[in-house]
Amino acid sequence: MGNMIRAITSDGSIVAFAVDSKDIANKASQVHKSSAVVTAALGRLLSATSMMGIMLKGEDDSVTVRIDADGPAGTLIAVSDSIGNVRGYVSNPVVEIPLNEFGKLDVSGAVGRSGSIYVIKDLNLKQPYSGQTPIISGEIAEDITNYFARSEQIPTICSLGVLVDRDLSVKASGGFIVQLLPFADKSVIDRLEQNLKNIPTVTAMLDNQATPEKLLRRVLEGFEVEIMAETQVEYLCDCSRDRVERALLSIGAQELNAMIAEQHGAQVCCHFCGKEYNFTEDNLLLLIK
Ligand code: ZN
């Protein structure tokens, strides 16, 4: 289970989120059997998407964040429900590239430095809300910050980190998102900037046993912080046989008949969680009817 916190400063100038997503990133690395740098990239995206999930207003709303850039990892996708439960997918989970010039996993090298980030919010309206901004660094946190500033006009600070151990398990993962509300004045921004200069990295804090609350209190030092909610979040897929059946139906009778003729059935594997769904020839015939 991961831990998520939502807070506001009592002067009403800042709303903030922080998450410890170690278990989520670990589960993602197990599902996708990803190499270290891809685990770091996907873990960062999952952390951000989970925090964007709890920003949603409606209980049944969901948010999808997709990164399409020119790196070897290919497309990365994360989907969160309104509680912050997330799942993710990456088209090339195994990328082996050298460490970057700081001796760290080269996330932007795996993701790519040119492309787009897409945010699609299903708010249960006729049309989903969607926004798109260019990738500016491929390190993901900067790209999320840029998305909020340019697409939603919300001044945002986002910091994300994933520490991968030698055995490829995740040692620490998480991040925070801090957003300025319309009442924030210059002194608030100055204070925040000062704080950010003085804090250790997210992974250093989390690896040092900091909780999301401690992390936020460091970032918001000097502000009176009110914790609004603390929730448990996890890597969770909502796939079901029913959904897979509908997906199969959408590819059409001709394709299904071809599956019967060639494979005498179908095996469908969920992209997000790896669960297998088996359909016999009879199952498929029934679907075609
Ligand atoms: Zn699934």
Side-chain angles (χ1 to χ4, degrees):
M1 280 282 183
N3 239 320
M4 168 85 75
I5 206 150
R6 190 172 74 214
I8 189 162
T9 55
S10 49
D11 62 358
S13 62
I14 294 169
V15 60
F17 309 82
V19 66
D20 177 342
S21 59
K22 179 182 165 182
D23 290 353
I24 290 172
N26 248 325
K27 177 78 197 238
S29 81
Q30 287 159 11
V31 167
H32 299 290
K33 300 179 179 61
S34 43
S35 63
V37 69
V38 177
T39 299
L42 196 54
R44 288 184 190 181
L45 185 63
L46 286 163
S47 301
T49 308
S50 175
M51 289 187 276
M52 291 165 77
I54 62 159
M55 292 174 192
L56 297 164
K57 303 275 187 299
E59 204 178 311
D60 298 324
D61 295 354
S62 67
V63 59
T64 301
V65 184
R66 192 176 92 231
I67 293 178
D68 274 330
D70 58 352
T75 298
L76 290 102
I77 299 177
V79 185
S80 176
D81 64 18
S82 65
I83 305 166
N85 294 320
V86 271
R87 58 190 187 274
Y89 170 76
V90 53
S91 37
N92 301 315
V94 180
V95 172
E96 304 286 359
I97 47 173
L99 299 175
N100 65 17
E101 73 258 41
F102 308 108
K104 298 268 167 68
L105 293 169
D106 188 4
V107 170
S108 66
V111 170
R113 294 177 183 89
S114 165
S116 293
I117 181 164
Y118 301 86
V119 175
I120 302 115
K121 294 182 197 172
D122 186 349
L123 309 174
N124 289 293
L125 305 168
K126 268 188 195 152
Q127 291 284 333
Y129 162 92
S130 81
Q132 175 195 348
T133 48
I135 292 294
I136 56 166
S137 81
E139 292 285 335
I140 299 176
E142 288 92 333
D143 305 303
I144 297 279
T145 300
N146 184 56
Y147 161 78
F148 274 112
R150 289 182 57 176
S151 187
E152 299 198 14
Q153 279 85 47
I154 304 172
T156 299
I157 300 154
C158 176
S159 183
L160 305 165
V162 178
L163 198 61
V164 183
D165 221 335
R166 281 165 194 273
D167 64 359
L168 294 184
S169 67
V170 175
K171 212 169 165 226
S173 173
F176 64 82
I177 291 179
V178 170
Q179 296 191 313
L180 296 180
L181 295 172
F183 318 102
D185 59 32
K186 176 91 172 48
S187 66
V188 168
I189 298 164
D190 291 346
R191 166 105 238 171
L192 260 179
E193 279 178 350
Q194 203 52 45
N195 287 355
L196 289 167
K197 270 186 207 149
N198 297 325
I199 58 168
T201 62
V202 164
T203 38
M205 286 192 276
L206 290 171
D207 195 33
N208 210 357
Q209 311 304 322
T211 60
E213 178 175 345
K214 265 195 195 157
L215 202 151
L216 267 195
R217 289 194 185 279
R218 282 294 294 271
V219 177
L220 299 175
E221 216 173 293
F223 295 98
E224 203 177 311
V225 178
E226 289 175 27
I227 305 297
M228 308 292 286
E230 185 170 5
T231 47
Q232 305 256 288
V233 288
E234 62 182 317
Y235 191 100
L236 192 68
C237 187
D238 63 351
C239 67
S240 64
R241 191 169 177 91
D242 194 45
R243 281 199 176 193
V244 176
E245 280 181 359
R246 271 182 277 151
L248 280 173
L249 278 173
S250 71
I251 64 173
Q254 204 180 343
E255 278 290 318
L256 292 178
N257 275 316
M259 283 177 181
I260 292 169
E262 287 159 22
Q263 306 155 42
H264 307 286
Q267 191 182 57
V268 182
C269 186
C270 174
H271 272 340
F272 290 106
C273 70
K275 191 169 173 188
E276 283 179 1
Y277 294 89
N278 289 298
F279 293 85
T280 62
E281 203 165 322
D282 289 343
N283 293 150
L284 293 182
L285 282 170
L286 208 66
L287 275 180
I288 295 170
K289 270 191 197 153

